[in-house]
Amino acid sequence: MAGGRRKKQHFGRIHSFSCGRASFNGEHSLIGGPGFSRIVFCNDPECFEAGQLKYGGNYVRTTKYTLATYFPKALFEQFRRVANIYFLICAILSFTALSPYTAFSTVFPLVVVVGVTMGKEAVEDWRRKRQDIEMNNRKVKFHRGDGVFDHTKWMDLKVGDVVKVEKDEFFPADLILLSSSYDDAICYVETTNLDGETNLKLKQALDVTAKLLDDSSFENFRAIIKCEDPNANLYSFVGNLLLGDQFPLTPQQLLLRDSKLRNTDYVYGVVIFTGHDTKVIQNSTAPPSKRSKIEKRMDKLVYLLFFALVVLSFIGSIFFGITTSEDLENGVMKRWYLRPDDTTIYYDPERAPVAAIFHFLTALMLYGYLIPISLYVSIEIVKVLQSVFINRDLNMYYVEGDKPARARTSNLNEELGQVDTILSDKTGTLTCNSMEFIKCTIAGTAYGRGITEVERALARGKEAPLVQEVVEEDNVEEIDETKPSIKGYNFIDERITNGNWVKEPRADVIQEFLRLLAVCHTAIPEADDETGKISYEAESPDEAAFVIAARELGFEFYERTQTSISMNELDPMSGRKVARSVLVKVEVSDLLHPMDKRSNIKPFIAIAHITQHRIYKIMNIIEFSSSRKRMSVIVRNEEGKLLLLSKGADSVMFERLAQDGREFEVQTRLHINEYADAGLRTLVLAYRELSEEEYSEFNEEFSRAKNLVSADREEMIEEVAEMIEKDLILLGATAVEDKLQNGVPECIDKLAQAGIKLWVLTGDKMETAINIGFACSLLRQGMKQIIINSETSAIRALEKAGDKSAVDVAAKANVIQQISEGKALLSVASEDSEALALIIDGKSLIYALEDDVKDMFLELAIGCASVICCRSSPKQKALVTRLVKVKTGSTTLAIGDGANDVGMLQEADIGVGISGVEGMQAVMSSDIAIAQFRFLERLLLVHGHWCYRRISSMICYFFYKNIAFGFTLFFFEAYASFSGQTAYNDWYMSFYNVFFTSLPVIAQGVFDQDIAARFCLKFPLLYQEGVQNVLFSWTRILGWAFNGVLSSTLIFFFCARAMEHQAFRKGGEVVGMEIFGTLMYTCLIWVVNCQMALSINYFTLIQHIVIWGGIALWYIFLLVYGAMDPDISTTAYQVFIEACAPALSFWLVTLFVTVATLLPYFSYAAIQMRFFPMYHQMIQWIKNDGHSEDPEYCQMVRQRSLRSTTVGYTARFSRSKLELPEQV
């Protein structure tokens, strides 16, 4: 069905630019050459020429495997692990005579472990596959032919297809915009999925295709596009459209896959890049591979056990070789029962060295149980379950946004418990990124009585109440009750609200100020069809706040067309010819404008300022950029005057003022500084009238620069803008507050008490960042600040001279000098136990991160309690993160919410994304996503501590039980003259790690808690156990290894001595090898499971089931396996029913050995707990003794977390109490 042409004035063209014939310059001359060879046959994808090009389809696959590659790739991934390669070699050798046990019993555990891991990979890949299926099967309208558009699947699109995308739909491929529902062929695009930016981008088709108004227009449409080859650059595109003549294509016509059509009914476009050729897929890179420090140390442990295995095998083979060589001397057989005169090569006394080598290979297989085959898969299972608990923690669920915490990877759970340094973005992370218009200065007079969080923090620091807050308290409450809160507007000042500004001495300047706020922007109004209420789509929260403030103060912007802005203005009374306000009598029933209603209205008469409808014709918009730091709009008012309205940063606006336009400069600068001290963002507003001749000359140059298609296009636009943006008249400045998120100061305080350092990396100016630091209690009154910046008079003089090399040399020398001075101050402060703060700007950071300076900078930064990097670029954020991570070797966590934080998140050991208002780019690049900064407290202090403790204890226990098992084999080998004989039945050995001892360790890794969550938060210093790696130090690891060796020694020798010469059954039979092995294995199962019971701090029903169930399972296995045919059960046939169970000595020895083996660990743990308690054990004592609510006991333990160099409000108050007696 043909779509109707949209001719609606609600959303029109924002930016004034020409889309006529652009000039062919720069890269367009490269078309047809290397890298620019793509040819698209528009609306004719099935033609012969298109078929010869063989472009890929639009099917997108993000899976790791395909059906054909799953097995080879998944097996390759599994056997990249050294342990698995070892077990594979053992499995292969088990089919030879060298094997001490049957092949099946060796292969089966390996198949189970590898199979489970591969199954996990398959499940995860299937989830990705389902996402791919959903994406590829989305529907879009495409031109089937004869002017008819039908629905088709995304994956069926071909290069050259013409598609029709409707409002709020995603683009299915990279398209060239042909036309839209707007007369001038524009459309609005949201690119949140690409760059994280929520502001809308404006696109416009070429004039030559804009006439394709409806579906039927495409019946005979044919064209050829020649353009660049597929590449990853999102912001550039070079191509030509051949449609009778040749027309240049730019990024202005490019619609990228995964971006969304907004505020436009429909667009038509032609597919140029499909599937994996699209720019978004070209940009998708695999996230960096991150491994926790515990996992890396675990690898070293595996290597250490390999070394022990080789040493034991080597020792055994030497003894075996010596003993074998002595078996036959001069024809005399020493061990005649072995028949050394008639044996195989494996025991031949004549070739003892060869026999020893073969024995070495056998021993390598035999002692393989030292290596825990199920360790990796058990850890993966545990980490996945830990991630489920993180995802389902209601204390980290953000109700307002319906956003739970989400662990996007489970590989780094334990790393959450070892974070030493947090590197945080500010805007949107510490703050809400929800701007509120709170203050302004107009004509040198400051307006706005609101109190910012920073001002409150400063008042708390000085322990003095805010006079202004006390005076205005009653009035504020009255206003809050009578007027609902408005998002983006928190302005309180009766002098100019409710139309009272008309009574101010400089009402004319206030009028121009508010008019500029309402006109100088790129916001789009959108009226609610039911309520009629107008909301605004703006490029930034700041801009939305300005438009809302203008509306609330009487200048309501309500409509935008392609060439104009419409407003309802509230004009002051004037003696001029044009009556801009009138005095009228109105009945109460004649409703006043909402913003003009007052509580003291009289029964039948009120004074009302009548709003007038005014239209401003948009001539040009000069857009904001990070280099310009300002935006301007040129409009023509109803009187025909040309006005240049401009707003921007104070650093660029004051220098553009005319000499007679600086009337309020001194007062405005003073107010701006006060606003910056209050943590507010400021913009300066100025304007001037233009003559027709001046504008005509500017417009000609501006249009020429806009139509350029070359690399220096932006530079040319800026040069032309410089010509007109001068001789401005100052009106005033705005101040908006980016509020702190709820709970940020409290969270930072707890993290500081936990010993975690916090660095803030922000793009804001230094004054704003410093004051946010005060609000967060990262800074406090009296804390010495080391400020490093490049704004010195000498450097400014060199910059004016234009000598860039001299500027670089001087700036670097200046930074080095300031760092040296800071280090000197640091050494003095460390002697006095004073906390220091380091603040550095972006320019200085460039030199501080150079190879010959960065070590000095890092040494200074580490010694400071707080570090704030201002005006930091995304690259600098990533470089600072890498510097801290690499040079200190400590665990770093980066947290941010925007696309500019992605590099920092990927560079850090752990990347945490805030799912806020700046899109999902940071979340998609993160390891863990949370909705609010305050949730970081629970994520680290609770889940981080638990995960670290659980994984550390789990690995230590794993190695303990395998060492205990492996050394019983070694001792039996020594007992049996290193003959290669196994102590246990083959299936006993195979099931040891898989069934009998695996579930308790998994349960420990998932459920164990040394301290409850509320105590983790109450005693933050507990977190330092992870930072200092107390629970996984080499001392602790070797201690558990020693415990394993001791346990195996006691088990073997107690069992051997108890059973060696005793009659075991009523018939007088002594113990055979099969009974001895079963007894020793039973003792081993009891010991390692009871050892787990002793190690657990927090018992659950599941842990009881798996520990005691593991022991019970062993007895059930003995019954079932022993009842099988002797060909299957071999040495285990009827061993329990006929031999072990009837013998009292079997049960007595089991009991005695279990108690005797566990006694050393129990004694050590009791002494250590009583006389040398660790920090968590101290907390356990408080809890167990019932002192958990006793302030004195709690303070005694908690005071260890408050140090002189700690930041946070608790430390700040503690410091102020110490300083108070000195001041007195």
Side-chain angles (χ1 to χ4, degrees):
M1 184 180 69
R5 191 67 164 175
R6 183 178 183 181
K7 192 168 183 177
K8 192 175 179 182
Q9 291 188 336
H10 191 61
F11 298 109
R13 179 168 60 189
I14 294 181
H15 303 272
S16 180
F17 56 83
S18 170
C19 279
R21 184 80 59 84
S23 55
F24 286 87
N25 292 321
E27 292 181 323
H28 280 81
S29 61
L30 301 174
I31 290 176
F36 299 85
S37 60
R38 195 173 186 86
I39 301 175
V40 179
F41 295 90
C42 303
N43 211 22
D44 196 13
E46 303 293 343
C47 69
F48 175 77
E49 294 87 348
Q52 294 298 306
L53 295 172
K54 296 181 179 178
Y55 294 135
N58 200 40
Y59 185 88
V60 170
R61 182 176 68 85
T62 61
T63 57
K64 189 175 180 180
Y65 308 105
T66 64
L67 198 59
T69 63
Y70 170 69
F71 279 101
K73 286 184 71 173
L75 286 171
F76 174 76
E77 288 291 329
Q78 293 307 307
F79 290 107
R80 289 172 65 184
R81 290 172 173 165
V82 178
N84 284 351
I85 292 176
Y86 164 75
F87 288 116
L88 177 63
I89 294 172
C90 289
I92 294 170
L93 290 176
S94 67
F95 291 94
T96 69
L98 290 171
S99 176
Y101 30 66
T102 60
F104 187 73
S105 64
T106 308
V107 173
F108 178 74
L110 179 63
V111 170
V112 169
V113 170
V114 172
V116 168
T117 311
M118 287 177 63
K120 173 178 170 284
E121 290 276 318
V123 170
E124 290 179 350
D125 216 46
W126 173 243
R127 290 175 184 158
R128 288 190 284 266
K129 176 69 174 177
R130 285 194 300 182
Q131 291 175 350
D132 290 346
I133 291 172
E134 188 274 330
M135 174 79 71
N136 289 308
N137 284 280
R138 288 180 182 175
K139 298 294 183 66
V140 68
K141 289 182 178 179
F142 88 113
H143 185 227
R144 188 183 64 187
D146 301 325
V148 177
F149 279 74
D150 281 343
H151 282 99
T152 188
K153 296 177 181 179
W154 279 23
M155 63 181 178
D156 295 331
L157 289 178
K158 299 182 179 65
V159 173
D161 275 332
V162 172
V163 298
K164 182 180 183 180
V165 180
E166 298 181 334
K167 184 179 179 182
D168 293 330
E169 289 184 349
F170 290 98
F171 298 117
D174 287 353
L175 312 176
I176 289 296
L177 177 63
L178 298 176
S179 62
S180 80
S181 56
Y182 286 109
D183 288 333
D184 44 4
I186 64 168
C187 70
Y188 298 100
V189 176
E190 182 185 276
T191 59
T192 300
N193 288 342
L194 305 183
D195 54 18
E197 297 180 8
T198 54
N199 56 295
L200 302 183
K201 310 292 193 305
L202 187 72
K203 302 287 184 178
Q204 185 168 25
L206 297 178
D207 288 344
V208 69
T209 60
K211 64 181 183 293
L212 299 168
L213 305 181
D214 51 34
D215 294 0
S216 59
S217 304
F218 289 90
E219 182 175 358
N220 299 313
F221 171 70
R222 297 290 185 276
I224 295 176
I225 292 175
K226 295 183 177 180
C227 64
E228 63 186 25
D229 292 338
N231 61 73
N233 197 327
L234 293 172
Y235 307 107
S236 72
F237 178 75
V238 178
N240 294 333
L241 174 71
L242 278 66
L243 185 59
D245 204 347
Q246 186 167 295
F247 304 89
L249 296 170
T250 68
Q252 196 64 39
Q253 289 83 47
L254 183 64
L255 306 174
L256 299 178
R257 179 186 173 112
D258 280 353
S259 50
K260 182 187 284 188
L261 183 67
R262 296 291 302 274
N263 299 336
T264 310
D265 288 341
Y266 61 85
V267 297
Y268 294 102
V270 61
V271 177
I272 56 167
F273 297 125
T274 52
H276 291 273
D277 289 341
T278 56
K279 289 183 180 286
V280 64
I281 304 298
Q282 293 269 318
N283 268 278
S284 61
T285 56
S289 178
K290 295 182 179 180
R291 300 183 69 212
S292 68
K293 289 179 173 57
I294 285 184
E295 192 173 347
K296 292 174 183 176
R297 181 166 287 188
M298 186 176 71
D299 287 345
K300 294 177 182 177
L301 269 177
V302 171
Y303 293 138
L304 184 63
L305 288 179
F306 269 123
F307 177 74
L309 185 153
V310 171
V311 169
L312 292 178
S313 301
F314 183 71
I315 293 172
S317 61
I318 290 176
F319 278 100
F320 176 78
I322 293 172
T323 306
T324 301
S325 65
E326 295 174 349
D327 273 346
L328 189 62
E329 293 183 3
N330 301 320
V332 178
M333 295 181 291
K334 187 174 182 180
R335 294 188 295 181
W336 53 268
Y337 48 88
L338 296 178
R339 291 302 304 273
D341 58 331
D342 182 19
T343 187
T344 63
I345 190 174
Y346 303 110
Y347 303 98
D348 191 350
E350 301 292 339
R351 289 184 288 179
V354 177
I357 293 172
F358 282 130
H359 180 274
F360 177 75
L361 297 175
T362 300
L364 284 179
M365 300 171 66
L366 182 62
Y367 302 142
Y369 290 92
L370 281 171
I371 312 299
I373 187 172
S374 59
L375 173 61
Y376 290 104
V377 69
S378 298
I379 287 178
E380 287 185 9
I381 292 171
V382 164
K383 287 184 176 182
V384 168
L385 294 175
Q386 287 176 347
S387 297
V388 171
F389 286 147
I390 291 174
N391 296 344
R392 297 190 177 186
D393 188 342
L394 291 178
N395 290 295
M396 294 195 295
Y397 172 67
Y398 185 50
V399 178
E400 293 177 22
D402 188 25
K403 294 176 181 176
R406 188 156 56 95
R408 302 187 69 250
T409 176
S410 59
N411 294 339
L412 304 171
N413 293 352
E414 68 274 23
E415 201 88 327
L416 290 171
Q418 295 184 280
V419 174
D420 179 72
T421 305
I422 296 173
L423 301 106
S424 174
D425 177 41
K426 184 187 79 67
T427 305
T429 303
L430 298 176
T431 59
C432 297
N433 198 21
S434 176
M435 308 300 176
E436 288 189 341
F437 186 91
I438 189 168
K439 296 185 181 186
C440 63
T441 171
I442 310 174
T445 302
Y447 295 99
R449 306 189 190 281
I451 308 300
T452 68
E453 290 294 332
V454 172
E455 289 174 315
R456 289 191 175 92
L458 292 174
R460 285 197 300 264
K462 296 173 182 176
E463 297 192 346
L466 285 162
V467 176
Q468 180 174 302
E469 192 172 29
V470 173
V471 172
E472 298 295 328
E473 185 175 353
D474 296 334
N475 190 33
V476 169
E477 288 179 0
E478 181 184 338
I479 292 171
D480 287 342
E481 291 173 4
T482 58
K483 189 172 183 179
S485 62
I486 299 169
K487 184 179 180 181
Y489 182 76
N490 189 23
F491 186 82
I492 302 168
D493 196 322
E494 69 284 354
R495 291 176 293 173
I496 61 173
T497 54
N498 300 308
N500 287 337
W501 60 266
V502 301
K503 304 173 186 175
E504 287 295 290
R506 298 306 302 266
D508 57 331
V509 179
I510 297 175
Q511 181 186 28
E512 294 294 341
F513 181 92
L514 297 177
R515 180 181 291 139
L516 192 153
L517 283 183
V519 174
C520 185
H521 56 77
T522 57
I524 306 168
E526 190 168 24
D528 189 292
D529 293 335
E530 296 181 0
T531 64
K533 184 179 179 181
I534 294 175
S535 58
Y536 301 105
E537 290 267 7
E539 290 194 1
S540 67
D542 312 56
E543 194 160 80
F546 295 146
V547 182
I548 291 168
R551 180 190 69 194
E552 296 301 312
L553 295 173
F555 286 72
E556 183 185 40
F557 159 57
Y558 68 92
E559 190 174 41
R560 184 192 287 275
T561 71
Q562 59 188 16
T563 57
S564 66
I565 278 182
S566 299
M567 287 196 307
N568 288 320
E569 283 192 15
L570 183 66
D571 291 335
M573 280 193 258
S574 166
R576 303 176 198 172
K577 285 185 178 180
V578 179
R580 294 187 176 177
S581 67
V582 293
L583 180 66
V584 293
K585 289 186 178 182
V586 294
E587 296 295 326
V588 173
S589 58
D590 298 330
L591 295 177
L592 296 175
H593 192 282
M595 68 182 68
D596 297 320
K597 291 180 180 178
R598 301 297 301 245
S599 59
N600 59 350
I601 194 165
K602 293 184 179 179
F604 291 100
I605 299 176
I607 303 295
H609 297 285
I610 303 301
T611 58
Q612 290 190 343
H613 174 70
R614 295 182 66 86
I615 299 176
Y616 294 88
K617 184 178 180 182
I618 302 174
M619 310 303 291
N620 303 91
I621 287 181
I622 310 174
E623 300 173 40
F624 177 89
S625 71
S626 56
S627 57
R628 284 170 35 77
K629 297 182 182 178
R630 63 190 182 281
M631 80 159 289
S632 300
V633 59
I634 300 174
V635 298
R636 190 185 295 275
N637 65 13
E638 292 179 344
E639 288 78 24
K641 292 181 180 179
L642 285 167
L643 300 175
L644 170 68
L645 309 178
S646 187
K647 64 183 181 185
D650 56 330
S651 58
V652 297
M653 291 296 290
F654 282 123
E655 63 190 30
R656 285 170 171 75
L657 297 179
Q659 287 302 317
D660 58 351
R662 299 176 179 269
E663 181 181 354
F664 320 117
E665 181 181 3
V666 175
Q667 300 97 315
T668 303
R669 282 185 181 272
L670 179 64
H671 293 152
I672 286 175
N673 290 334
E674 290 175 357
Y675 296 156
D677 289 341
L680 301 175
R681 292 186 173 194
T682 59
L683 280 181
V684 173
L685 276 59
Y687 83 108
R688 76 179 177 102
E689 290 187 17
L690 302 177
S691 66
E692 294 290 343
E693 296 78 11
E694 185 179 13
Y695 173 72
S696 178
E697 181 182 349
F698 160 77
N699 191 47
E700 184 178 344
E701 293 291 329
F702 190 66
S703 298
R704 187 180 298 116
K706 276 279 190 181
N707 290 333
L708 277 178
V709 184
S710 63
D712 58 351
R713 176 176 178 271
E714 296 301 323
E715 293 180 12
M716 291 294 295
I717 291 174
E718 289 187 16
E719 288 179 10
V720 176
E722 290 279 351
M723 296 166 45
I724 200 80
E725 292 173 322
K726 60 182 181 180
D727 300 329
L728 301 174
I729 298 172
L730 177 65
L731 294 173
T734 61
V736 295
E737 180 183 18
D738 189 1
K739 282 186 169 293
L740 287 176
Q741 290 184 11
N742 290 336
V744 166
E746 293 82 1
C747 176
I748 290 176
D749 183 60
K750 281 289 174 64
L751 296 176
Q753 290 185 50
I756 302 173
K757 306 178 194 68
L758 180 65
W759 293 27
V760 175
L761 312 178
T762 177
D764 277 347
K765 65 166 94 175
M766 185 174 289
E767 294 81 4
T768 305
I770 288 174
N771 289 303
I772 290 296
F774 276 107
C776 296
S777 292
L778 282 173
L779 306 176
R780 60 173 179 260
Q781 294 299 318
M783 178 185 281
K784 292 181 180 178
Q785 297 177 8
I786 302 172
I787 297 178
I788 300 176
N789 61 45
S790 301
E791 298 296 325
T792 65
S793 55
I795 293 175
R796 280 195 292 267
L798 289 172
E799 287 175 345
K800 288 182 180 178
D803 191 345
K804 191 174 184 306
S805 60
V807 169
D808 288 341
V809 172
K812 184 174 181 178
N814 177 57
V815 169
I816 293 174
Q817 180 185 352
Q818 292 181 79
I819 291 176
S820 301
E821 292 173 355
K823 289 177 67 178
L825 186 61
L826 183 64
S827 61
V828 174
S830 60
E831 294 175 2
D832 299 336
S833 298
E834 290 186 10
L836 296 180
L838 173 64
I839 299 111
I840 183 170
D841 66 0
K843 286 183 180 178
S844 302
L845 202 55
I846 294 173
Y847 304 105
L849 293 174
E850 290 187 0
D851 290 340
D852 55 338
V853 185
K854 61 184 180 183
D855 288 339
M856 291 175 57
F857 166 67
L858 184 63
E859 185 181 348
L860 172 61
I862 290 174
C864 294
S866 298
V867 179
I868 300 175
C869 300
C870 315
R871 296 295 192 194
S872 305
S873 67
K875 184 178 180 180
Q876 285 178 327
K877 290 182 178 183
L879 290 175
V880 170
T881 304
R882 181 187 302 171
L883 178 66
V884 177
K885 179 179 75 172
V886 173
K887 292 291 184 180
T888 65
S890 57
T891 302
T892 56
L893 180 147
I895 180 169
D897 72 319
N900 60 334
D901 301 316
V902 169
M904 177 174 72
L905 298 184
Q906 292 186 337
E907 191 63 56
D909 293 300
I910 308 168
V912 176
I914 299 285
S915 49
V917 298
E918 284 199 26
M920 297 296 288
Q921 192 78 355
V923 169
M924 296 303 291
S925 302
S926 67
D927 304 303
I928 295 173
I930 56 178
Q932 295 275 285
F933 182 88
R934 68 176 185 270
F935 296 151
L936 198 62
E937 175 185 344
R938 186 172 180 88
L939 181 66
L940 297 185
L941 302 189
V942 178
H943 289 285
H945 172 73
W946 283 349
C947 290
Y948 164 74
R949 178 176 183 81
R950 290 165 178 170
I951 294 292
S952 300
S953 301
M954 176 184 175
I955 295 172
C956 287
Y957 176 79
F958 237 110
F959 284 108
Y960 155 78
K961 71 185 183 68
N962 277 68
I963 288 172
F965 184 68
F967 269 84
T968 58
L969 291 172
F970 177 74
F971 291 139
F972 184 81
E973 272 293 281
Y975 187 73
S977 299
F978 297 100
S979 61
Q981 178 63 50
T982 59
Y984 309 120
N985 181 280
D986 293 352
W987 287 106
Y988 295 0
M989 300 173 73
S990 298
F991 289 162
Y992 178 77
N993 278 319
V994 177
F995 293 117
F996 302 136
T997 61
S998 59
L999 291 181
V1001 75
I1002 290 175
Q1004 182 198 35
V1006 175
F1007 299 108
D1008 193 30
Q1009 294 179 15
D1010 58 338
I1011 298 296
R1014 67 188 186 96
F1015 290 108
C1016 289
L1017 298 174
K1018 192 171 186 176
F1019 301 97
L1021 193 65
L1022 178 67
Y1023 187 80
Q1024 277 295 309
E1025 289 189 347
V1027 177
Q1028 298 171 19
N1029 206 15
V1030 172
L1031 304 179
F1032 203 62
S1033 62
W1034 283 111
T1035 303
R1036 188 175 177 86
I1037 292 168
L1038 294 176
W1040 274 99
F1042 174 76
N1043 189 25
V1045 174
L1046 180 62
S1047 296
S1048 63
T1049 304
L1050 294 174
I1051 290 171
F1052 176 79
F1053 286 103
F1054 276 142
C1055 288
R1057 290 298 176 187
M1059 294 295 172
E1060 188 173 16
H1061 303 296
Q1062 299 297 323
F1064 185 68
R1065 288 190 283 178
K1066 291 180 180 179
E1069 298 95 334
V1070 294
V1071 170
M1073 187 185 69
E1074 67 282 357
I1075 298 175
F1076 179 69
T1078 302
L1079 172 64
M1080 192 160 61
Y1081 194 90
T1082 303
C1083 293
L1084 188 65
I1085 294 297
W1086 270 97
V1087 167
V1088 296
N1089 280 284
C1090 289
Q1091 175 70 68
M1092 170 59 73
L1094 288 176
S1095 303
I1096 286 176
N1097 294 282
Y1098 179 74
F1099 268 100
T1100 63
L1101 177 62
I1102 292 175
Q1103 285 165 314
H1104 280 295
I1105 291 173
V1106 295
I1107 290 174
W1108 313 122
I1111 297 172
L1113 183 63
W1114 158 241
Y1115 289 111
I1116 295 170
F1117 171 78
L1118 270 180
L1119 287 170
V1120 175
Y1121 184 53
M1124 293 181 181
D1125 188 272
D1127 293 335
I1128 299 173
S1129 57
T1130 62
T1131 59
Y1133 181 68
Q1134 298 292 335
V1135 70
F1136 183 68
I1137 294 177
E1138 289 190 358
C1140 297
L1144 181 61
S1145 57
F1146 172 80
W1147 303 103
L1148 291 176
V1149 170
T1150 301
L1151 177 62
F1152 173 78
V1153 171
T1154 301
V1155 173
T1157 305
L1158 294 175
L1159 190 60
Y1161 173 83
F1162 182 81
S1163 303
Y1164 164 80
I1167 294 171
Q1168 190 261 330
M1169 176 79 170
R1170 187 69 184 174
F1171 299 105
F1172 311 100
M1174 299 173 70
Y1175 194 69
H1176 71 274
Q1177 291 170 329
M1178 294 171 63
I1179 300 170
Q1180 288 172 348
W1181 271 112
I1182 290 177
K1183 177 188 172 186
N1184 295 335
D1185 288 352
H1187 296 303
S1188 58
E1189 303 303 326
D1190 190 318
E1192 184 178 349
Y1193 274 87
C1194 292
Q1195 182 61 23
M1196 179 180 67
V1197 176
R1198 196 164 46 209
Q1199 66 184 357
R1200 294 172 55 179
S1201 64
L1202 293 177
R1203 299 170 298 283
S1204 59
T1205 55
T1206 303
V1207 297
Y1209 64 79
T1210 305
R1212 183 187 69 208
F1213 291 146
S1214 299
R1215 185 72 180 177
S1216 63
K1217 288 178 182 178
L1218 290 174
E1219 292 173 351
L1220 186 61
E1222 298 175 7
Q1223 295 171 359
V1224 173

